[in-house]
Amino acid sequence: MPSIILGRLVSLILSLIAASIVIFLVLEVVPGDPAQFMLGLNATPEATAALRTALGLDGPLLERYFTWVLGLLHGDFGISYTYKVPVSGLIADRIWISLPLAIYALALSTLIAFPVGILAAVRRNSATDVGIMGATQVGLAVPNFWFAMLLVLLFSITLRWFSAGGFPGWQDPLLALKALTLPAVALALPQASILARVMRSSLLDTLGEDYIRSARAKGLSQGQTLWRHALRNALIPVLTIIGLQFSFLLAGAIIIENVFFLPGLGRLVFQGITSRDLIVVKSVVMLLVFAVILVTFLVDITYALVDPRLRRATR
Amino acid sequence: MALLDVKDLQLSIGKFPILRDIDLSVDAGEILGVIGESGSGKSMTALSVMQLLPFGATTSGSVKLDGREVLGLPDAEMRKIRGGTVGMVFQEPMTALNPVKTIGDQVAETAMVHGGLGRRAALEVARQTLERVELPTSRFPLDRYPHELSGGQRQRVVIAMAIAMRPKLLIADEPTTALDVTTQAAILKLLQKLVDEDGMGLLFITHDLGVIAGLADKVSIMRQGEVVEAGPTVQLFRALQHPYSKALFEASSHVPPRIPPAVVGGSPVLAVDNVVREYPLPRRGLFEKRKVLRAVDGVSLRIEKGENVGLVGESGCGKSTLARAIMALEPTQGGRIAISGEPIDPKKGASFATRRHLQVVFQDPYGSFNPRHRVDRLVSEPFHLLGSAAPSGAERSKRIARALDEVGLSATDGEKYVHEFSGGQRQRIAIARALIIEPSLIILDEAVSALDVSVRAQVLDLLAELSDRLQLSYLFISHDLAVVRSITDRVLVMRAGKIVEEGATEEVFRAPKHPYTQELLAATPNLEAALAKREAAGA
């Protein structure tokens, strides 16, 4: 087990290095000069050049790359071109919305998907199964921003249970959670639909395995067979999807953040791109890549915990 | 009163009748062998006793277990019987155990469910039971996972799960079919021991007449959902009544008529010299040097034109790896391979011109065809080896028709898809595909192992006839010694990557020199020898 963690750590670091190079190079070739953008159309070439030097944009490529990476390692993400404040501060403010929102949505999605998927698998081809499969089909087809607007119409405007948007801050955690509830539900619906379908098909495959028959031949009931033998074996594909979904929820919530006026990471990147604030874009993208790689790492470790065949036998 | 008494058992799934009027009985301490080919209903009979039938199955008649009727018993009652009064062992030891649970837990579970024991006490039962199936805790700790054990060891764990509560009846459904002969012999011995020690009844299902003759006290022969003949083992086999039983008996020891190949000069169709195939093993430590596994360790062999050569050995001995190396599907790390005098480049592989001399037929008649292609396309696939010389139009259709005709199918079969054919017919299609470019050598890698005995006899006849008529050479790879004996001129015995014995087939079988060959032959079930031994014991 320790050797697996070590091996995965090495691949984690290599992935991060590769990702940093790609991100840096891609943003080098993106059209649009931040200095030009900041000074507006009427700026003189001299002024633009002076600003470029001030921003450290005209050094050699390699030097700028290493300056950036070393800064990242120290938590120094640079100064935003447009906000004129440290990028680290901008990110810190927003990650306290995006991260809890992603975890909240993922928790909801898992809590819905597991029982629903298991129920559908156990009652295969019954009316329950057909109903669940139909509902998840709808969940997949409905765009989440539209669903979010329906939620706002019902719970904020008609019932007045939740506010329609905005974020009050974490001074009152209950209030903050309440503000994140509708966005989390809107995000969780399609994710739960996918997860429930994966759970169902994975469990159905597992229930057809020979060792399930062996367990029944031992005298276990169908329920015992499900809990003790089938579920853990069915978990591997489900874990893969959960890992992918978390990465998506962290960065992909931008539309929902817009619907609910939440100042999250998605909105920060979006604003950074439109105002050519490339240093913000670069830093946030790097942070998201780090999150994705970290989640993948955790999922890999969980695989090994779930399935002994993936712990390379050392005895 | 018999321990298990099945009377007039009928079973249908949906509208399809599966079993008709099945009668059989097993007494305490008695072994009943049930024989039949695939689809004969032998597994369904076993599952009826366990009431673990597929969805939509309906039964009638009577299945009495220890005097108690089990048909129609509610599941809560059946659960006490399964694993308690009756244990069951299945065919596939590789998949019959839960991969994420330790062997100790899996055996202990039976004791926890039935004995109401706590985990600690149940693990003690598991320890004792694993000891009984000859997996001592000193060498096989309870916290081992199934993937750390071999097939034979896993089957012992499955048996331990089934006998942990000392059931009155054990049902074993082809428990040794997936195992090597020496492992099979050891498992059969273990089952016999458990029957003798516990006075347990054993319902043993198999397709192998040799196995049943050595083990069972009485035998029922099944065909298409019916018992066609039943009786005490020796009397039954010595005086078979039903035409199907007789045909089955004949087919199981069938020897196809063959003409010994004439010695012809010229370069051998296959020359393998000192070939080595190594696999790097996974690193143990981060900085440790990688170890290698020599799957094929300096093997040499030669096949002349028209000659049939057998290659026998147990799973993992390297015989399939050798075959893949000969087909240039795997790189070799040493030695030379030449096909019809043309050497194969170990890096670039064989050229099309060389490859056309060599074709192959694999074991699984279900997995070796693309299900979306028509048979004529499948059969004509090797034509691409001919490049621009490949026949087209009417000539191509003529060659396809001829190849299908040669394997006993008709030209119109070319318009069908493989799912429309039975296993035996599919293996004929595979042979047609190999024949179509007139190769000099066909590698038959367990080509008849998945077939029922009667179908296997037909395919062997076909292979022998083709070899005689077309001067074809075969490299016949199999774990089934009886089949190899019936169709080859020369045989090679392989073990741990090396050829340990080589010689004319009859000589090797009559007087094996290497201890491993002797062990293999002794472990091979032999119908005639088993019957003779029983008669001697009875007399």
Side-chain angles (χ1 to χ4, degrees), chain A residues 258-300:
Chain A
N258 270 323
V259 172
F260 289 98
F261 307 107
L262 293 173
L265 282 177
R267 266 163 74 100
L268 183 65
V269 184
F270 183 71
Q271 286 158 358
I273 291 169
T274 49
S275 60
R276 291 295 177 275
D277 199 346
L278 294 188
I279 193 148
V280 168
V281 178
K282 209 155 61 175
S283 307
V284 176
V285 171
M286 193 62 217
L287 188 76
L288 292 175
V289 166
F290 176 70
V292 170
I293 292 176
L294 187 70
V295 168
T296 313
F297 169 76
L298 292 176
V299 169
D300 278 349

mmCIF file of all heavy atoms in Angstrom, chain A residues 258-300:
data_model
loop_
_atom_site.group_PDB
_atom_site.id
_atom_site.type_symbol
_atom_site.label_atom_id
_atom_site.label_comp_id
_atom_site.label_asym_id
_atom_site.label_seq_id
_atom_site.Cartn_x
_atom_site.Cartn_y
_atom_site.Cartn_z
ATOM 1 N N ASN A 258 -23.545 32.311 -12.175
ATOM 2 C CA ASN A 258 -24.130 33.501 -12.781
ATOM 3 C C ASN A 258 -25.617 33.622 -12.475
ATOM 4 O O ASN A 258 -26.113 34.697 -12.174
ATOM 5 C CB ASN A 258 -23.898 33.498 -14.296
ATOM 6 C CG ASN A 258 -22.597 34.193 -14.647
ATOM 7 O OD1 ASN A 258 -22.235 35.178 -14.018
ATOM 8 N ND2 ASN A 258 -21.894 33.666 -15.627
ATOM 9 N N VAL A 259 -26.322 32.471 -12.558
ATOM 10 C CA VAL A 259 -27.761 32.506 -12.286
ATOM 11 C C VAL A 259 -28.021 32.998 -10.861
ATOM 12 O O VAL A 259 -28.935 33.775 -10.609
ATOM 13 C CB VAL A 259 -28.381 31.099 -12.504
ATOM 14 C CG1 VAL A 259 -29.828 31.074 -12.026
ATOM 15 C CG2 VAL A 259 -28.302 30.716 -13.972
ATOM 16 N N PHE A 260 -27.176 32.549 -9.920
ATOM 17 C CA PHE A 260 -27.422 32.878 -8.512
ATOM 18 C C PHE A 260 -26.541 34.026 -8.008
ATOM 19 O O PHE A 260 -26.440 34.239 -6.808
ATOM 20 C CB PHE A 260 -27.214 31.630 -7.645
ATOM 21 C CG PHE A 260 -28.287 30.597 -7.835
ATOM 22 C CD1 PHE A 260 -28.086 29.523 -8.684
ATOM 23 C CD2 PHE A 260 -29.499 30.708 -7.165
ATOM 24 C CE1 PHE A 260 -29.072 28.570 -8.854
ATOM 25 C CE2 PHE A 260 -30.480 29.751 -7.345
ATOM 26 C CZ PHE A 260 -30.277 28.690 -8.187
ATOM 27 N N PHE A 261 -25.877 34.714 -8.897
ATOM 28 C CA PHE A 261 -24.989 35.831 -8.510
ATOM 29 C C PHE A 261 -24.012 35.426 -7.418
ATOM 30 O O PHE A 261 -23.869 36.109 -6.415
ATOM 31 C CB PHE A 261 -25.809 37.053 -8.046
ATOM 32 C CG PHE A 261 -26.836 37.451 -9.044
ATOM 33 C CD1 PHE A 261 -28.183 37.212 -8.815
ATOM 34 C CD2 PHE A 261 -26.454 38.034 -10.251
ATOM 35 C CE1 PHE A 261 -29.131 37.543 -9.768
ATOM 36 C CE2 PHE A 261 -27.411 38.379 -11.197
ATOM 37 C CZ PHE A 261 -28.753 38.127 -10.958
ATOM 38 N N LEU A 262 -23.370 34.288 -7.600
ATOM 39 C CA LEU A 262 -22.398 33.847 -6.609
ATOM 40 C C LEU A 262 -21.005 34.204 -7.107
ATOM 41 O O LEU A 262 -20.631 33.822 -8.216
ATOM 42 C CB LEU A 262 -22.478 32.322 -6.418
ATOM 43 C CG LEU A 262 -23.758 31.779 -5.792
ATOM 44 C CD1 LEU A 262 -23.739 30.262 -5.841
ATOM 45 C CD2 LEU A 262 -23.904 32.269 -4.362
ATOM 46 N N PRO A 263 -20.207 34.941 -6.327
ATOM 47 C CA PRO A 263 -18.851 35.280 -6.763
ATOM 48 C C PRO A 263 -17.903 34.100 -6.584
ATOM 49 O O PRO A 263 -17.114 34.074 -5.651
ATOM 50 C CB PRO A 263 -18.483 36.463 -5.865
ATOM 51 C CG PRO A 263 -19.331 36.306 -4.653
ATOM 52 C CD PRO A 263 -20.541 35.523 -5.023
ATOM 53 N N GLY A 264 -17.976 33.130 -7.476
ATOM 54 C CA GLY A 264 -17.146 31.919 -7.354
ATOM 55 C C GLY A 264 -15.992 31.949 -8.329
ATOM 56 O O GLY A 264 -15.779 32.923 -9.059
ATOM 57 N N LEU A 265 -15.246 30.822 -8.341
ATOM 58 C CA LEU A 265 -14.074 30.721 -9.216
ATOM 59 C C LEU A 265 -14.454 30.817 -10.691
ATOM 60 O O LEU A 265 -13.734 31.415 -11.489
ATOM 61 C CB LEU A 265 -13.359 29.396 -8.976
ATOM 62 C CG LEU A 265 -12.469 29.301 -7.735
ATOM 63 C CD1 LEU A 265 -11.902 27.905 -7.630
ATOM 64 C CD2 LEU A 265 -11.362 30.333 -7.792
ATOM 65 N N GLY A 266 -15.566 30.211 -11.048
ATOM 66 C CA GLY A 266 -16.006 30.221 -12.436
ATOM 67 C C GLY A 266 -16.167 31.642 -12.944
ATOM 68 O O GLY A 266 -15.684 31.996 -14.023
ATOM 69 N N ARG A 267 -16.822 32.475 -12.118
ATOM 70 C CA ARG A 267 -17.011 33.866 -12.525
ATOM 71 C C ARG A 267 -15.690 34.623 -12.600
ATOM 72 O O ARG A 267 -15.481 35.466 -13.474
ATOM 73 C CB ARG A 267 -17.954 34.567 -11.548
ATOM 74 C CG ARG A 267 -19.409 34.530 -12.017
ATOM 75 C CD ARG A 267 -20.344 34.832 -10.894
ATOM 76 N NE ARG A 267 -20.338 36.253 -10.530
ATOM 77 C CZ ARG A 267 -21.258 37.120 -10.930
ATOM 78 N NH1 ARG A 267 -22.212 36.733 -11.748
ATOM 79 N NH2 ARG A 267 -21.225 38.371 -10.540
ATOM 80 N N LEU A 268 -14.778 34.285 -11.692
ATOM 81 C CA LEU A 268 -13.471 34.950 -11.688
ATOM 82 C C LEU A 268 -12.716 34.678 -12.997
ATOM 83 O O LEU A 268 -12.166 35.590 -13.618
ATOM 84 C CB LEU A 268 -12.649 34.475 -10.480
ATOM 85 C CG LEU A 268 -11.293 35.133 -10.286
ATOM 86 C CD1 LEU A 268 -11.463 36.616 -9.969
ATOM 87 C CD2 LEU A 268 -10.513 34.460 -9.168
ATOM 88 N N VAL A 269 -12.713 33.409 -13.417
ATOM 89 C CA VAL A 269 -12.035 33.067 -14.676
ATOM 90 C C VAL A 269 -12.697 33.786 -15.836
ATOM 91 O O VAL A 269 -12.040 34.352 -16.703
ATOM 92 C CB VAL A 269 -12.089 31.546 -14.957
ATOM 93 C CG1 VAL A 269 -11.309 31.200 -16.200
ATOM 94 C CG2 VAL A 269 -11.555 30.774 -13.786
ATOM 95 N N PHE A 270 -14.014 33.753 -15.832
ATOM 96 C CA PHE A 270 -14.758 34.361 -16.924
ATOM 97 C C PHE A 270 -14.401 35.850 -17.051
ATOM 98 O O PHE A 270 -14.086 36.340 -18.132
ATOM 99 C CB PHE A 270 -16.258 34.174 -16.684
ATOM 100 C CG PHE A 270 -17.106 34.703 -17.784
ATOM 101 C CD1 PHE A 270 -17.139 34.062 -19.014
ATOM 102 C CD2 PHE A 270 -17.872 35.850 -17.620
ATOM 103 C CE1 PHE A 270 -17.908 34.546 -20.049
ATOM 104 C CE2 PHE A 270 -18.638 36.340 -18.648
ATOM 105 C CZ PHE A 270 -18.667 35.679 -19.864
ATOM 106 N N GLN A 271 -14.411 36.543 -15.903
ATOM 107 C CA GLN A 271 -14.064 37.964 -15.924
ATOM 108 C C GLN A 271 -12.606 38.157 -16.349
ATOM 109 O O GLN A 271 -12.273 39.077 -17.095
ATOM 110 C CB GLN A 271 -14.297 38.593 -14.548
ATOM 111 C CG GLN A 271 -15.777 38.791 -14.251
ATOM 112 C CD GLN A 271 -16.064 38.904 -12.763
ATOM 113 O OE1 GLN A 271 -15.161 38.791 -11.935
ATOM 114 N NE2 GLN A 271 -17.330 39.126 -12.432
ATOM 115 N N GLY A 272 -11.741 37.272 -15.866
ATOM 116 C CA GLY A 272 -10.324 37.355 -16.218
ATOM 117 C C GLY A 272 -10.113 37.231 -17.720
ATOM 118 O O GLY A 272 -9.326 37.968 -18.321
ATOM 119 N N ILE A 273 -10.862 36.320 -18.336
ATOM 120 C CA ILE A 273 -10.695 36.128 -19.782
ATOM 121 C C ILE A 273 -11.176 37.358 -20.541
ATOM 122 O O ILE A 273 -10.490 37.862 -21.427
ATOM 123 C CB ILE A 273 -11.451 34.859 -20.253
ATOM 124 C CG1 ILE A 273 -10.772 33.610 -19.696
ATOM 125 C CG2 ILE A 273 -11.492 34.789 -21.769
ATOM 126 C CD1 ILE A 273 -11.547 32.336 -19.869
ATOM 127 N N THR A 274 -12.367 37.889 -20.166
ATOM 128 C CA THR A 274 -12.915 39.014 -20.929
ATOM 129 C C THR A 274 -12.048 40.263 -20.776
ATOM 130 O O THR A 274 -11.960 41.073 -21.699
ATOM 131 C CB THR A 274 -14.359 39.340 -20.502
ATOM 132 O OG1 THR A 274 -14.381 39.427 -19.076
ATOM 133 C CG2 THR A 274 -15.332 38.282 -20.950
ATOM 134 N N SER A 275 -11.357 40.434 -19.638
ATOM 135 C CA SER A 275 -10.543 41.642 -19.469
ATOM 136 C C SER A 275 -9.047 41.351 -19.691
ATOM 137 O O SER A 275 -8.220 42.150 -19.277
ATOM 138 C CB SER A 275 -10.781 42.225 -18.082
ATOM 139 O OG SER A 275 -10.411 41.265 -17.116
ATOM 140 N N ARG A 276 -8.702 40.237 -20.330
ATOM 141 C CA ARG A 276 -7.325 39.860 -20.604
ATOM 142 C C ARG A 276 -6.460 39.871 -19.331
ATOM 143 O O ARG A 276 -5.298 40.196 -19.378
ATOM 144 C CB ARG A 276 -6.683 40.797 -21.635
ATOM 145 C CG ARG A 276 -7.235 40.658 -23.026
ATOM 146 C CD ARG A 276 -6.936 39.284 -23.624
ATOM 147 N NE ARG A 276 -7.538 39.164 -24.940
ATOM 148 C CZ ARG A 276 -8.812 38.795 -25.129
ATOM 149 N NH1 ARG A 276 -9.583 38.493 -24.106
ATOM 150 N NH2 ARG A 276 -9.300 38.718 -26.341
ATOM 151 N N ASP A 277 -7.073 39.571 -18.216
ATOM 152 C CA ASP A 277 -6.313 39.512 -16.963
ATOM 153 C C ASP A 277 -5.674 38.122 -16.892
ATOM 154 O O ASP A 277 -6.077 37.258 -16.121
ATOM 155 C CB ASP A 277 -7.257 39.751 -15.782
ATOM 156 C CG ASP A 277 -6.500 40.154 -14.535
ATOM 157 O OD1 ASP A 277 -5.260 39.988 -14.517
ATOM 158 O OD2 ASP A 277 -7.149 40.642 -13.589
ATOM 159 N N LEU A 278 -4.671 37.927 -17.768
ATOM 160 C CA LEU A 278 -4.171 36.567 -17.998
ATOM 161 C C LEU A 278 -3.561 35.952 -16.758
ATOM 162 O O LEU A 278 -3.573 34.736 -16.583
ATOM 163 C CB LEU A 278 -3.139 36.577 -19.133
ATOM 164 C CG LEU A 278 -3.719 36.933 -20.497
ATOM 165 C CD1 LEU A 278 -2.676 36.729 -21.584
ATOM 166 C CD2 LEU A 278 -4.959 36.117 -20.813
ATOM 167 N N ILE A 279 -3.022 36.786 -15.867
ATOM 168 C CA ILE A 279 -2.379 36.205 -14.688
ATOM 169 C C ILE A 279 -3.422 35.573 -13.769
ATOM 170 O O ILE A 279 -3.179 34.531 -13.152
ATOM 171 C CB ILE A 279 -1.520 37.267 -13.970
ATOM 172 C CG1 ILE A 279 -0.605 36.574 -12.958
ATOM 173 C CG2 ILE A 279 -2.369 38.318 -13.285
ATOM 174 C CD1 ILE A 279 0.694 37.286 -12.778
ATOM 175 N N VAL A 280 -4.617 36.149 -13.732
ATOM 176 C CA VAL A 280 -5.699 35.549 -12.954
ATOM 177 C C VAL A 280 -6.122 34.227 -13.603
ATOM 178 O O VAL A 280 -6.263 33.195 -12.939
ATOM 179 C CB VAL A 280 -6.901 36.520 -12.863
ATOM 180 C CG1 VAL A 280 -8.122 35.795 -12.310
ATOM 181 C CG2 VAL A 280 -6.554 37.709 -11.995
ATOM 182 N N VAL A 281 -6.291 34.270 -14.936
ATOM 183 C CA VAL A 281 -6.716 33.064 -15.656
ATOM 184 C C VAL A 281 -5.719 31.931 -15.414
ATOM 185 O O VAL A 281 -6.087 30.809 -15.042
ATOM 186 C CB VAL A 281 -6.823 33.357 -17.170
ATOM 187 C CG1 VAL A 281 -7.205 32.092 -17.921
ATOM 188 C CG2 VAL A 281 -7.834 34.454 -17.420
ATOM 189 N N LYS A 282 -4.444 32.293 -15.604
ATOM 190 C CA LYS A 282 -3.378 31.301 -15.460
ATOM 191 C C LYS A 282 -3.407 30.669 -14.067
ATOM 192 O O LYS A 282 -3.338 29.448 -13.918
ATOM 193 C CB LYS A 282 -2.040 32.026 -15.674
ATOM 194 C CG LYS A 282 -0.952 31.193 -16.234
ATOM 195 C CD LYS A 282 0.092 32.016 -16.976
ATOM 196 C CE LYS A 282 0.787 33.038 -16.102
ATOM 197 N NZ LYS A 282 1.882 33.746 -16.801
ATOM 198 N N SER A 283 -3.539 31.502 -13.054
ATOM 199 C CA SER A 283 -3.479 30.994 -11.689
ATOM 200 C C SER A 283 -4.693 30.136 -11.355
ATOM 201 O O SER A 283 -4.565 29.064 -10.753
ATOM 202 C CB SER A 283 -3.405 32.155 -10.697
ATOM 203 O OG SER A 283 -2.346 33.001 -11.050
ATOM 204 N N VAL A 284 -5.882 30.610 -11.748
ATOM 205 C CA VAL A 284 -7.079 29.838 -11.419
ATOM 206 C C VAL A 284 -7.068 28.508 -12.160
ATOM 207 O O VAL A 284 -7.374 27.461 -11.588
ATOM 208 C CB VAL A 284 -8.360 30.644 -11.746
ATOM 209 C CG1 VAL A 284 -9.588 29.789 -11.478
ATOM 210 C CG2 VAL A 284 -8.406 31.911 -10.924
ATOM 211 N N VAL A 285 -6.681 28.557 -13.445
ATOM 212 C CA VAL A 285 -6.659 27.305 -14.211
ATOM 213 C C VAL A 285 -5.671 26.328 -13.572
ATOM 214 O O VAL A 285 -5.961 25.148 -13.401
ATOM 215 C CB VAL A 285 -6.304 27.566 -15.692
ATOM 216 C CG1 VAL A 285 -6.071 26.252 -16.417
ATOM 217 C CG2 VAL A 285 -7.416 28.345 -16.364
ATOM 218 N N MET A 286 -4.515 26.845 -13.171
ATOM 219 C CA MET A 286 -3.520 25.981 -12.519
ATOM 220 C C MET A 286 -4.087 25.379 -11.235
ATOM 221 O O MET A 286 -3.910 24.191 -10.949
ATOM 222 C CB MET A 286 -2.271 26.824 -12.217
ATOM 223 C CG MET A 286 -1.051 26.017 -11.828
ATOM 224 S SD MET A 286 -0.514 24.919 -13.148
ATOM 225 C CE MET A 286 -0.008 23.505 -12.192
ATOM 226 N N LEU A 287 -4.806 26.201 -10.489
ATOM 227 C CA LEU A 287 -5.399 25.730 -9.242
ATOM 228 C C LEU A 287 -6.421 24.624 -9.513
ATOM 229 O O LEU A 287 -6.466 23.605 -8.822
ATOM 230 C CB LEU A 287 -6.081 26.907 -8.533
ATOM 231 C CG LEU A 287 -6.584 26.607 -7.134
ATOM 232 C CD1 LEU A 287 -5.412 26.568 -6.171
ATOM 233 C CD2 LEU A 287 -7.597 27.654 -6.699
ATOM 234 N N LEU A 288 -7.224 24.812 -10.561
ATOM 235 C CA LEU A 288 -8.236 23.809 -10.893
ATOM 236 C C LEU A 288 -7.580 22.511 -11.347
ATOM 237 O O LEU A 288 -8.015 21.421 -10.984
ATOM 238 C CB LEU A 288 -9.167 24.352 -11.987
ATOM 239 C CG LEU A 288 -10.057 25.511 -11.546
ATOM 240 C CD1 LEU A 288 -10.855 26.052 -12.716
ATOM 241 C CD2 LEU A 288 -10.994 25.079 -10.431
ATOM 242 N N VAL A 289 -6.499 22.674 -12.127
ATOM 243 C CA VAL A 289 -5.775 21.473 -12.567
ATOM 244 C C VAL A 289 -5.241 20.732 -11.344
ATOM 245 O O VAL A 289 -5.354 19.512 -11.235
ATOM 246 C CB VAL A 289 -4.614 21.861 -13.510
ATOM 247 C CG1 VAL A 289 -3.670 20.685 -13.694
ATOM 248 C CG2 VAL A 289 -5.151 22.315 -14.838
ATOM 249 N N PHE A 290 -4.707 21.494 -10.405
ATOM 250 C CA PHE A 290 -4.203 20.877 -9.177
ATOM 251 C C PHE A 290 -5.323 20.112 -8.471
ATOM 252 O O PHE A 290 -5.144 18.976 -8.039
ATOM 253 C CB PHE A 290 -3.625 21.966 -8.263
ATOM 254 C CG PHE A 290 -3.161 21.442 -6.942
ATOM 255 C CD1 PHE A 290 -2.033 20.638 -6.868
ATOM 256 C CD2 PHE A 290 -3.856 21.737 -5.781
ATOM 257 C CE1 PHE A 290 -1.608 20.145 -5.650
ATOM 258 C CE2 PHE A 290 -3.435 21.235 -4.560
ATOM 259 C CZ PHE A 290 -2.309 20.440 -4.493
ATOM 260 N N ALA A 291 -6.500 20.745 -8.388
ATOM 261 C CA ALA A 291 -7.627 20.092 -7.726
ATOM 262 C C ALA A 291 -8.000 18.797 -8.436
ATOM 263 O O ALA A 291 -8.225 17.760 -7.808
ATOM 264 C CB ALA A 291 -8.824 21.040 -7.677
ATOM 265 N N VAL A 292 -8.040 18.844 -9.768
ATOM 266 C CA VAL A 292 -8.421 17.655 -10.536
ATOM 267 C C VAL A 292 -7.415 16.537 -10.306
ATOM 268 O O VAL A 292 -7.776 15.385 -10.049
ATOM 269 C CB VAL A 292 -8.506 17.997 -12.042
ATOM 270 C CG1 VAL A 292 -8.668 16.733 -12.862
ATOM 271 C CG2 VAL A 292 -9.657 18.941 -12.297
ATOM 272 N N ILE A 293 -6.126 16.896 -10.359
ATOM 273 C CA ILE A 293 -5.101 15.865 -10.188
ATOM 274 C C ILE A 293 -5.142 15.302 -8.771
ATOM 275 O O ILE A 293 -5.011 14.095 -8.562
ATOM 276 C CB ILE A 293 -3.713 16.444 -10.526
ATOM 277 C CG1 ILE A 293 -3.637 16.752 -12.025
ATOM 278 C CG2 ILE A 293 -2.603 15.476 -10.146
ATOM 279 C CD1 ILE A 293 -2.357 17.407 -12.464
ATOM 280 N N LEU A 294 -5.404 16.163 -7.814
ATOM 281 C CA LEU A 294 -5.485 15.705 -6.429
ATOM 282 C C LEU A 294 -6.658 14.750 -6.240
ATOM 283 O O LEU A 294 -6.529 13.702 -5.595
ATOM 284 C CB LEU A 294 -5.640 16.919 -5.500
ATOM 285 C CG LEU A 294 -5.572 16.600 -4.011
ATOM 286 C CD1 LEU A 294 -4.141 16.215 -3.644
ATOM 287 C CD2 LEU A 294 -6.019 17.798 -3.182
ATOM 288 N N VAL A 295 -7.806 15.092 -6.834
ATOM 289 C CA VAL A 295 -8.972 14.230 -6.710
ATOM 290 C C VAL A 295 -8.692 12.880 -7.376
ATOM 291 O O VAL A 295 -9.010 11.825 -6.826
ATOM 292 C CB VAL A 295 -10.219 14.909 -7.328
ATOM 293 C CG1 VAL A 295 -11.358 13.915 -7.462
ATOM 294 C CG2 VAL A 295 -10.638 16.094 -6.479
ATOM 295 N N THR A 296 -8.059 12.922 -8.548
ATOM 296 C CA THR A 296 -7.708 11.674 -9.230
ATOM 297 C C THR A 296 -6.813 10.813 -8.341
ATOM 298 O O THR A 296 -7.000 9.598 -8.236
ATOM 299 C CB THR A 296 -6.968 11.987 -10.543
ATOM 300 O OG1 THR A 296 -7.688 12.995 -11.228
ATOM 301 C CG2 THR A 296 -6.859 10.752 -11.403
ATOM 302 N N PHE A 297 -5.861 11.467 -7.693
ATOM 303 C CA PHE A 297 -4.965 10.774 -6.772
ATOM 304 C C PHE A 297 -5.767 10.106 -5.653
ATOM 305 O O PHE A 297 -5.604 8.914 -5.354
ATOM 306 C CB PHE A 297 -3.974 11.800 -6.206
ATOM 307 C CG PHE A 297 -3.140 11.321 -5.056
ATOM 308 C CD1 PHE A 297 -2.074 10.467 -5.256
ATOM 309 C CD2 PHE A 297 -3.417 11.758 -3.760
ATOM 310 C CE1 PHE A 297 -1.298 10.046 -4.193
ATOM 311 C CE2 PHE A 297 -2.653 11.337 -2.694
ATOM 312 C CZ PHE A 297 -1.596 10.475 -2.910
ATOM 313 N N LEU A 298 -6.692 10.871 -5.062
ATOM 314 C CA LEU A 298 -7.495 10.315 -3.972
ATOM 315 C C LEU A 298 -8.362 9.160 -4.463
ATOM 316 O O LEU A 298 -8.512 8.147 -3.780
ATOM 317 C CB LEU A 298 -8.376 11.411 -3.360
ATOM 318 C CG LEU A 298 -7.604 12.502 -2.614
ATOM 319 C CD1 LEU A 298 -8.550 13.583 -2.126
ATOM 320 C CD2 LEU A 298 -6.835 11.899 -1.440
ATOM 321 N N VAL A 299 -8.914 9.295 -5.680
ATOM 322 C CA VAL A 299 -9.745 8.222 -6.228
ATOM 323 C C VAL A 299 -8.899 6.958 -6.432
ATOM 324 O O VAL A 299 -9.320 5.857 -6.104
ATOM 325 C CB VAL A 299 -10.412 8.671 -7.544
ATOM 326 C CG1 VAL A 299 -11.044 7.488 -8.257
ATOM 327 C CG2 VAL A 299 -11.463 9.727 -7.268
ATOM 328 N N ASP A 300 -7.674 7.142 -6.936
ATOM 329 C CA ASP A 300 -6.782 5.989 -7.131
ATOM 330 C C ASP A 300 -6.515 5.272 -5.811
ATOM 331 O O ASP A 300 -6.516 4.041 -5.751
ATOM 332 C CB ASP A 300 -5.442 6.457 -7.715
ATOM 333 C CG ASP A 300 -5.517 6.644 -9.218
ATOM 334 O OD1 ASP A 300 -6.526 6.211 -9.805
ATOM 335 O OD2 ASP A 300 -4.573 7.210 -9.795
#
